[in-house]
């Protein structure tokens, strides 16, 4: 390995225009704004009206490239992290590549559910370590509403659609105002817990035959309470592991960006880590859980709101189906 530098030079995010509030759900399922707000912190979410994964991802990618000062022709790799790709084949990264007007570079999908962006960052970091000429586009885009049963109130109120993107480069671009160095990533997985959060229907173990109707297993199914406990414990452990191996403490971090699934999960994590609320980024109330897209949307929004400045240390942490979980440290 030539070096250990991968520079985060641009971020972008995109939400579809249509907003669905908690009150909108009241006419669809037996729920209330009060129940959703107190149990999750979510007030509204954005919903795709026909846009596919690559469409949302494209908008986020264009912004990230603009911020990075790069054209699509300067990219060397495109990574798409999603479990709701446009199609199985071609993969969403290839569809996005075509929309960007670029050809003859590597393009692949990564599926680690809500931890997708953190996994994508680690793959990008490896590619940047191989070449200082690497410019890797990492896009996390989800159209979760394509895999949510609107009639299942225990899941449908939780999720939203959206995309986030980042550009990582093998060398620091000159004169860049806000450039982060992705200094470390810590990834974990445990397949024994997979049954607690699934989307099975249409997979090769649960094939759909011509003319067959989809059944409930086509949609997200989740043991909410169990997932909740594991999410808090795993995000805490992987946050502390990455900090400790870098000789850092939680109070050294200027901004923690956790996966935006549920305010109670975020609050429990913050309490365990003894975080100052000012050092915690939260936007779950506006977007709901956008799975892999949640961390890069939050990162992009934090930059837009000037919550991150040169010299800051940022910790990102996520947890998702599989189970998968991971953390990443960026030194701005
Ligand atoms: N409106 C009204 N009532 C509801 C709703 C709803 N939308 N959903 C469930 N209920 C009911 C249940 O039917 C149950 O009723 P019962 O007691 O009569 O059986 C009652 O509310 C309590 O249900 P619980 O599931 O025990 O409620 P809980 O307090 O655990 O909250 C929730 C549920 C919000 C799903 C919570 O468990 C949670 O957030 N879990 C984590 C899920 C998550 O964030 N996953 C994402 C991480 S991984 C990833 O991002 C893919």
């Amino acid at each position: 390995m030539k070096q250990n530098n991968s520079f985060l030079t641009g971020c972008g995010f995109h939400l579809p225009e249509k907003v669905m509030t908690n009150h909108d759900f009241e006419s669809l399922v037996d729920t209330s704004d009060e129940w959703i707000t107190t149990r999750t912190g979510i007030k509204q979410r954005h919903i795709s009206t026909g846009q596919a994964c690559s469409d949302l991802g494209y908008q986020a990618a264009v912004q990230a490239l603009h911020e990075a000062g790069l054209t699509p022709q300067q990219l060397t790799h495109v990574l798409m992290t999603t479990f709701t790709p446009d199609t199985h084949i071609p993969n969403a990264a290839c569809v996005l590549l075509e929309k960007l007007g670029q050809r003859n570079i590597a393009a692949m999908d990564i599926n680690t559910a809500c931890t997708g962006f953190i996994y994508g960052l680690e793959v990008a970091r490896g590619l940047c370590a191989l070449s200082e000429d690497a410019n890797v586009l990492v896009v996390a885009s989800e159209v979760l509403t394509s895999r949510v049963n609107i009639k299942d109130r225990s899941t449908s109120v939780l999720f939203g659609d959206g995309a986030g993107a980042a550009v990582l480069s093998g060398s620091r671009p000159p004169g860049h105002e806000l450039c982060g160095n992705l200094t470390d990533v810590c990834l974990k997985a445990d397949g024994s817990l997979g049954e607690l959060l699934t989307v099975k229907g249409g997979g090769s173990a649960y094939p759909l035959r011509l003319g067959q109707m989809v059944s409930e297993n086509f949609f997200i199914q989740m043991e909410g309470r169990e997932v909740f406990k594991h999410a808090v414990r795993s995000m805490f452990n992987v946050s502390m592991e990455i900090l400790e191996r870098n000789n850092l403490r939680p109070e050294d971090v200027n901004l923690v960006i956790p996966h935006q699934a549920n305010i109670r999960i975020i609050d429990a994590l913050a309490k365990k880590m003894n975080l100052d609320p000012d050092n915690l980024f939260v936007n779950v109330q506006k977007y709901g859980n956008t799975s892999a897209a949640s961390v890069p949307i939050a990162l992009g929004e934090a930059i837009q709101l000037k919550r991150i400045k040169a010299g800051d240390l940022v910790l990102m942490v996520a947890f998702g189906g599989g189970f998968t979980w991971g953390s990443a440290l960026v030194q701005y």
Side-chain angles (χ1 to χ4, degrees):
M1 293 259 169
K2 167 194 74 57
Q3 49 139 356
N4 190 25
N5 284 329
S6 42
F7 297 98
L8 224 163
T9 55
C11 287
F13 65 99
H14 179 76
L15 285 311
E17 216 171 292
K18 185 173 178 197
V19 170
M20 195 166 172
T21 65
N22 292 348
H23 291 297
D24 294 331
F25 268 102
E26 289 172 351
S27 58
L28 295 170
V29 288
D30 182 12
T31 192
S32 64
D33 173 50
E34 198 266 333
W35 192 96
I36 301 169
T37 306
T38 52
R39 300 292 177 116
T40 71
I42 299 164
K43 296 299 284 184
Q44 62 171 51
R45 66 291 289 145
H46 289 244
I47 303 289
S48 162
T49 47
Q51 301 100 320
C53 168
S54 68
D55 296 319
L56 301 182
Y58 172 78
Q59 300 293 341
V62 167
Q63 260 186 41
L65 283 164
H66 177 76
E67 292 293 315
L70 293 176
T71 66
Q73 281 60 43
Q74 290 170 286
L75 289 173
T76 54
H77 305 78
V78 172
L79 310 179
M80 173 69 91
T81 74
T82 185
F83 75 89
T84 53
D86 304 35
T87 51
H88 284 283
I89 295 178
N91 68 28
C94 285
V95 180
L96 175 62
L97 190 66
E98 184 58 17
K99 286 183 177 161
L100 289 168
Q102 167 67 302
R103 286 180 189 172
N104 298 319
I105 61 167
M108 66 172 172
D109 286 8
I110 297 169
N111 172 1
T112 53
C114 306
T115 321
F117 184 68
I118 309 287
Y119 270 70
L121 288 180
E122 180 68 326
V123 176
R125 194 164 76 111
L127 294 167
C128 289
L130 291 171
S131 166
E132 62 185 23
D133 296 326
N135 289 315
V136 185
L137 175 66
V138 183
V139 180
S141 180
E142 300 278 19
V143 183
L144 293 175
T145 50
S146 66
R147 285 293 187 142
V148 163
N149 174 5
I150 196 101
K151 293 289 178 197
D152 175 8
R153 67 178 183 173
S154 68
T155 54
S156 59
V157 302
L158 304 175
F159 299 101
D161 301 329
V167 177
L168 283 102
S169 295
S171 51
R172 182 185 279 273
H176 218 275
E177 218 172 272
L178 192 65
C179 176
N181 190 352
L182 178 63
T183 54
D184 199 7
V185 180
C186 185
L187 302 179
K188 307 281 179 183
D190 183 349
S192 73
L193 300 166
E195 286 296 313
L196 294 172
L197 174 48
T198 59
V199 182
K200 291 180 172 175
S204 58
Y206 302 87
L208 282 170
R209 307 287 177 210
L210 188 64
Q212 208 175 338
M213 305 267 279
V214 297
S215 61
E216 281 178 359
N217 75 357
F218 185 76
F219 302 104
I220 294 175
Q221 294 183 311
M222 180 168 67
E223 299 288 337
R225 283 199 174 174
E226 282 303 307
V227 173
F228 190 106
K229 283 188 272 181
H230 284 285
V232 174
R233 195 180 308 141
S234 302
M235 288 204 288
F236 172 73
N237 288 341
V238 82
S239 295
M240 295 312 290
E241 184 173 335
I242 202 168
L243 290 175
E244 277 162 18
R245 76 187 188 192
N246 286 279
N247 298 315
L248 293 164
R249 294 159 305 163
E251 54 268 38
D252 296 321
V253 178
N254 299 93
L255 193 65
V256 176
I257 300 180
H259 174 42
Q260 308 285 315
N262 181 320
I263 192 65
R264 291 190 295 139
I265 294 177
I266 296 172
D267 284 346
L269 174 70
K271 193 170 169 209
K272 273 168 91 74
M273 290 180 70
N274 200 20
L275 296 177
D276 183 330
D278 286 347
N279 295 348
L280 187 66
F281 194 82
V282 177
N283 63 9
V284 67
Q285 70 282 4
K286 293 191 289 185
Y287 308 131
N289 181 349
T290 56
S291 186
S294 100
V295 169
I297 289 173
L299 176 65
E301 199 168 68
I303 291 171
Q304 200 175 68
L305 294 169
K306 304 208 180 311
R307 291 277 305 271
I308 299 174
K309 54 188 187 315
D312 280 357
L313 180 67
V314 174
L315 170 68
M316 295 179 268
V317 58
F319 175 87
F323 285 158
T324 57
W325 62 105
S327 54
L329 275 177
V330 181
Q331 179 67 63
Y332 279 89

